[in-house]
Amino acid sequence: MKAPPNGARTDLAVLYNGKWRRPGARGTRPLWVLRVSAGDVACYDVFWSDKTHMLVDADDVCDASAVDEPPRAAKRRRKAGPETPVAKATDADSEDLDDA
């Protein structure tokens, strides 16, 4: 990773495809965010963990502490087999096959 430019922040979350991306999270995340002005519009240059850049509106950037962490999936026990137990073959069943 190249060093962030002067004035860049590494503690901001970015809204991308309807999901807040936080620094330090799994997957694609913002590594640094730099405020730039494009004429009269305030926006941010975001450098992502997949080594791409993107300009986003100022409304799509906020402090990472203001964004709730997504809930972790609850661990559930998996059932070993189907809900109804399968009848096991007995010796009597195998004797019926021998008679056929």
Side-chain angles (χ1 to χ4, degrees):
M1 175 181 113
K2 64 181 183 176
N6 292 335
R9 294 185 56 186
T10 58
D11 61 340
L12 296 176
V14 179
L15 185 64
Y16 180 70
N17 282 343
K19 181 179 175 186
W20 284 102
R21 308 289 178 149
R22 301 165 45 100
R26 290 185 177 181
T28 304
R29 60 198 179 280
L31 295 179
W32 53 260
V33 179
L34 179 65
R35 186 175 178 94
V36 295
S37 23
D40 296 336
V41 180
C43 58
Y44 287 87
D45 182 18
V46 180
F47 183 72
W48 296 94
S49 60
D50 63 357
K51 301 194 181 349
T52 59
H53 280 271
M54 179 180 191
L55 284 176
V56 297
D57 291 333
D59 295 338
D60 295 340
V61 176
C62 74
D63 192 49
S65 63
V67 176
D68 292 333
E69 288 192 39
R72 295 195 165 242
K75 291 186 178 179
R76 294 186 289 161
R77 289 187 178 193
R78 289 188 169 193
K79 295 182 180 178
E83 290 185 14
T84 56
V86 177
K88 292 184 178 180
T90 61
D91 291 336
D93 293 337
S94 59
E95 288 174 6
D96 292 339
L97 293 174
D98 293 337
D99 294 336

